[in-house]
Amino acid sequence: MRGADLINLLLPDEILDEVLRRVAVSGAKRDLDACALVCSRWRRHDRATRRSAKLAASGARADEVLRLVAERFPALVEVSVDERISVEAAAAGPSCAAARSRRRPMYDVSPSGRRRRMSRSSNFGAHMSPFPLDQPGSDNETERTCLTDVGLTSLARGCKGLEKLSLVWCSSITSTGLVRISENCKNLSSLDLQACYIGDPGLIAIGEGCKLLRNLNLRFVEGTSDEGLIGLIKNCGQSLVSLGVATCAWMTDASLHAVGSHCPNLEFLSLESDHIKNEGVVSVAKGCRLLKTLKLQCMGAGDEALDAIGLFCSFLESLSLNNFEKFTDRSLSSIAKGCKNLTDLILNDCHLLTDRSLEFVARSCKKLARLKINGCQNMETAALEHIGRWCPGLLELSLIYCPRIRDSAFLEVGRGCSLLRSLYLVDCSRISDDALCYIAQGCKNLTELSIRRGYEIGDKALISFAENCKSLRELTLQFCERVSDAGLTAIAEGCPLRKLNLCGCQLITDNGLTAIARGCPDLVYLDISVLRSIGDMALAEIGEGCSQLKDIALSHCPEVTDVGLGHLVRGCLPLQSCQMVYCRRVSSTGIATIVSGCPKLKKLLVEEWKVSERTRRRAGSVLSFLCTGL
């Protein structure tokens, strides 16, 4: 009531906090901004309770944006800065949605949503010299306008309770900025420096000042050396739980020796390096015996390294081995004997492994729940048969380019793995309908089936899934050229799908999609790209029957016209994403129809030449154009 505040004065802070939390959970960010404008008390409370911010970092005002955020929200404990998004783009388009939790309210801060005018100067006008050789030289004006140490210093001084900091692709940050963080943010527990150019002094300073650091991501980091990582680890290695290092040419076995010597509590390690040898991995295995997740891509390591993991890392639960050229069945045998708690195993391009490897794992690792085999060309049918016989708890199975595995392997999987929920098959050329019928008959809890380039897969398999797998929610049949309307109709009658991908299934017509539209009203994702027989009738049926649809792809559909798009948008009001390039009968009118008829649209991929100037102005950042090279 104007002139008389009958409620606000009596409203306890706890109730106000609960109000803001519920708005954050169920509303849009503009609703939170509206709450902050109710009165000065609500604004103060809003600023005092914001705990999380996601910010753009590329643009002339990046440093000042971070300064203003630090001034207004001193209680921030989690800040994520991404240089791949410009400040100007963030101001023009919608920002990330805000989120709060019951114990720790969290907001995403949008600097552009505030009324205070931002000047081009910064309060930190003093020149801050980076450490020598901390950053590659550049004459690019764009780089000079990105987030710098000035902005990072503002954050460090304004938000001393910071616990989580992510600096993604912040190319102008140097050791100077990290030194300021280490001096002010003693509670820092998580630091992500992905693709930054950071020198040794910065990492050493973090180790000296942030004794509570638990998570460190150095993927694609340049500018440092073993000295920096060793200096950090020696000072805060006891608290470190997670470490990620990828394609860092500077890293050698010396860094891994330090990890093994000073990080006894490490549970997660992701390591990709061409320079790591057996000695470094052995050091980690001996010193980090609490490891639960290990992801390795070490071209120079072999059996000796993995033998040590099997011998010392008995708590290991998840193992990913990528592009190993030197280890054999002996290694996986050691892993199987020592790591009885293994639940997740990923083998990518491990060319020397044979069926014996999977037999070792299947017989010893009874808790195995997720298995992915990609490009291990020496594994044949027997490998998968062992899994079916000895791993009854298997939940997910992914086979990518396994040309030697035949149908009979799936007979054992169907018999033994009744709990299987997800099956992914890509480029498995010898697998036919019979294999999938075995799965459908034995794995009736299946919720997700994804097949790509299954040239021997047809309607027989789909009919079997429709009859047996009543919980199937997600179905991908990319370029399964034998699948027709008959199989799709059976699926529509038997499975309440939410996601369907039929890209490249050339036998599908309007009749098949009509069955889907009438049988799967809860569909939220549909890909019908490269279906040359699909026309406006199918879109009309989808618009009428799939009122929950949020994402549709219909590129390379030559028979779709503006009329069909009109029918689609009238029924699919929640539509958020649409891809329709190379639809020759769709004109600027159809694109305008999508833009004007879908109030929740966030992304529309089209050819730029088809978009009228009026539609371009109306759609703004929603439009995304197909890049074509000359």
Side-chain angles (χ1 to χ4, degrees):
M1 296 173 62
R2 180 173 297 179
D5 191 343
L6 302 180
I7 297 177
N8 199 32
L9 294 177
L10 301 178
L11 196 65
D13 286 346
E14 293 79 9
I15 299 298
L16 180 55
D17 181 69
E18 180 66 11
V19 169
L20 295 177
R21 185 193 70 82
R22 295 196 179 195
V23 171
V25 169
S26 60
K29 185 185 179 301
R30 61 177 177 270
D31 297 329
L32 289 171
D33 290 339
C35 288
L37 296 174
V38 168
C39 63
S40 58
R41 182 196 176 201
W42 282 48
R43 183 173 66 250
R44 287 194 303 270
H45 191 79
D46 170 55
R47 292 181 176 183
T49 57
R50 292 211 182 194
R51 295 293 183 265
S52 178
K54 295 181 180 180
L55 306 170
S58 179
R61 301 180 301 173
D63 285 336
E64 183 150 359
V65 166
L66 203 56
R67 177 182 67 81
L68 290 175
V69 168
E71 285 181 358
R72 295 177 181 185
F73 306 101
L76 288 175
V77 296
E78 182 176 353
V79 174
S80 177
V81 184
D82 194 333
E83 193 166 293
R84 294 170 296 184
I85 307 173
S86 68
V87 173
E88 288 75 9
S95 60
C96 298
R100 279 175 175 259
S101 64
R102 184 175 297 275
R103 296 184 61 187
R104 175 175 290 174
M106 295 190 299
Y107 291 76
D108 284 356
V109 176
S110 175
S112 60
R114 303 300 171 185
R115 293 179 179 270
R116 179 175 176 178
R117 186 174 181 177
M118 290 188 282
S119 64
R120 292 188 179 274
S121 61
S122 172
N123 281 356
F124 298 98
H127 178 65
M128 301 176 63
S129 299
F131 283 87
L133 303 179
D134 214 30
Q135 198 171 15
S138 174
D139 295 329
N140 191 325
E141 181 64 26
T142 301
E143 291 190 9
R144 290 199 295 271
T145 61
C146 294
L147 178 69
T148 70
D149 295 328
V150 174
L152 199 56
T153 299
S154 301
L155 178 66
R157 292 176 178 174
C159 303
K160 295 189 177 183
L162 201 64
E163 296 177 8
K164 298 181 180 180
L165 177 61
S166 176
L167 303 172
V168 178
W169 288 90
C170 293
S171 55
S172 296
I173 295 297
T174 73
S175 287
T176 301
L178 290 188
V179 169
R180 300 294 176 262
I181 292 292
S182 69
E183 292 171 347
N184 293 277
C185 306
K186 301 298 183 181
N187 294 326
L188 194 70
S189 63
S190 178
L191 180 60
D192 187 345
L193 298 174
Q194 179 169 314
C196 292
Y197 197 97
I198 300 298
D200 291 335
L203 290 183
I204 294 173
I206 291 293
E208 293 173 347
C210 305
K211 301 293 186 180
L212 301 179
L213 191 67
R214 291 173 55 84
N215 305 304
L216 178 63
N217 183 9
L218 299 177
R219 291 174 59 83
F220 313 115
V221 166
E222 299 180 27
T224 188
S225 68
D226 284 328
E227 179 183 352
L229 183 55
I230 292 172
L232 182 147
I233 288 172
K234 284 184 176 180
N235 286 287
C236 67
Q238 289 289 329
S239 64
L240 209 61
V241 173
S242 173
L243 174 63
V245 185
T247 60
C248 298
W250 49 268
M251 187 177 187
T252 69
D253 285 337
S255 288
L256 290 190
H257 282 300
V259 171
S261 300
H262 300 283
C263 302
N265 298 310
L266 198 67
E267 295 181 2
F268 176 95
L269 176 62
S270 178
L271 177 63
E272 299 176 23
S273 175
D274 293 341
H275 305 286
I276 298 300
K277 308 297 182 184
N278 284 328
E279 293 76 11
V281 180
V282 171
S283 297
V284 169
K286 289 181 177 180
C288 307
R289 302 194 180 194
L290 299 180
L291 273 176
K292 293 182 179 180
T293 300
L294 182 60
K295 300 179 180 181
L296 292 178
Q297 182 172 323
C298 305
M299 302 292 288
D303 285 337
E304 182 181 344
L306 297 186
D307 285 345
I309 293 170
L311 183 61
F312 297 108
C313 301
S314 59
F315 292 97
L316 198 65
E317 297 175 357
S318 179
L319 177 63
S320 178
L321 302 176
N322 305 285
N323 296 311
F324 271 79
E325 298 181 349
K326 295 185 178 181
F327 84 94
T328 64
D329 291 338
R330 162 191 153 186
S331 298
L332 217 52
S333 173
S334 299
I335 296 290
K337 291 177 181 177
C339 305
K340 304 290 186 181
N341 293 313
L342 201 66
T343 59
D344 297 63
L345 178 61
I346 298 176
L347 303 172
N348 288 322
D349 295 321
C350 300
H351 301 297
L352 298 183
L353 295 183
T354 70
D355 295 347
R356 291 287 293 169
S357 295
L358 265 294
E359 182 179 2
F360 296 142
V361 171
R363 289 180 177 272
S364 299
C365 303
K366 302 298 184 181
K367 297 180 180 180
L368 194 68
R370 283 162 286 274
L371 174 65
K372 177 180 178 181
I373 303 174
N374 182 4
C376 301
Q377 300 179 34
N378 286 323
M379 288 189 178
E380 301 187 22
T381 301
L384 199 57
E385 289 176 340
H386 294 308
I387 296 296
R389 293 188 185 114
W390 302 100
C391 299
L394 194 68
L395 299 176
E396 296 181 12
L397 175 62
S398 178
L399 302 176
I400 303 174
Y401 192 59
C402 297
R404 298 191 178 188
I405 295 180
R406 297 177 179 271
D407 290 345
S408 57
F410 291 87
L411 178 60
E412 295 294 340
V413 174
R415 287 174 176 172
C417 304
S418 60
L419 300 179
L420 192 70
R421 298 180 65 85
S422 300
L423 176 63
Y424 308 89
L425 302 174
V426 181
D427 289 327
C428 296
S429 56
R430 298 191 180 185
I431 294 175
S432 69
D433 281 342
D434 290 339
L436 294 186
C437 288
Y438 296 144
I439 295 293
Q441 293 163 9
C443 308
K444 298 188 177 183
N445 294 311
L446 204 71
T447 61
E448 182 178 3
L449 174 64
S450 181
I451 305 172
R452 300 181 185 180
R453 291 180 291 276
Y455 301 122
E456 300 299 320
I457 306 298
D459 293 336
K460 178 182 175 182
L462 294 190
I463 293 171
S464 183
F465 279 110
E467 293 174 348
N468 295 284
C469 301
K470 301 300 183 179
S471 298
L472 192 65
R473 295 293 185 272
E474 301 182 23
L475 177 62
T476 295
L477 299 169
Q478 282 188 323
F479 296 99
C480 295
E481 297 176 349
R482 295 181 58 208
V483 169
S484 73
D485 292 339
L488 206 57
T489 300
I491 288 291
E493 294 173 353
C495 305
L497 295 181
R498 290 182 56 82
K499 296 184 178 181
L500 176 62
N501 188 333
L502 298 171
C503 178
C505 297
Q506 299 289 354
L507 297 182
I508 299 296
T509 70
D510 287 350
N511 294 330
L513 283 184
T514 296
I516 290 293
R518 296 176 180 179
C520 304
D522 295 329
L523 205 67
V524 296
Y525 173 89
L526 178 63
D527 189 339
I528 51 175
S529 302
V530 203
L531 299 189
R532 302 189 179 279
S533 300
I534 294 300
D536 292 339
M537 186 182 78
L539 293 190
E541 291 285 350
I542 292 168
E544 182 177 348
C546 303
S547 60
Q548 306 301 315
L549 196 67
K550 294 182 179 180
D551 193 334
I552 188 169
L554 42 88
S555 299
H556 296 272
C557 291
E559 300 304 316
V560 169
T561 73
D562 297 341
V563 175
L565 294 178
H567 288 295
L568 177 70
V569 300
R570 276 195 288 273
C572 301
L573 294 180
L575 199 66
Q576 297 179 5
S577 176
C578 179
Q579 301 178 33
M580 52 178 190
V581 296
Y582 298 119
C583 295
R584 64 187 182 190
R585 300 181 66 183
V586 171
S587 69
S588 59
T589 301
I591 294 172
T593 298
I594 294 288
V595 171
S596 61
C598 302
K600 297 185 178 181
L601 194 65
K602 296 179 179 179
K603 181 180 179 181
L604 176 61
L605 179 63
V606 293
E607 296 97 330
E608 186 172 6
W609 63 271
K610 285 187 177 182
V611 182
S612 68
E613 189 59 36
R614 181 179 180 181
T615 301
R616 189 189 301 268
R617 289 196 303 269
R618 182 168 187 172
S621 60
V622 165
L623 290 174
S624 180
F625 299 120
L626 179 70
C627 296
T628 56
L630 297 179

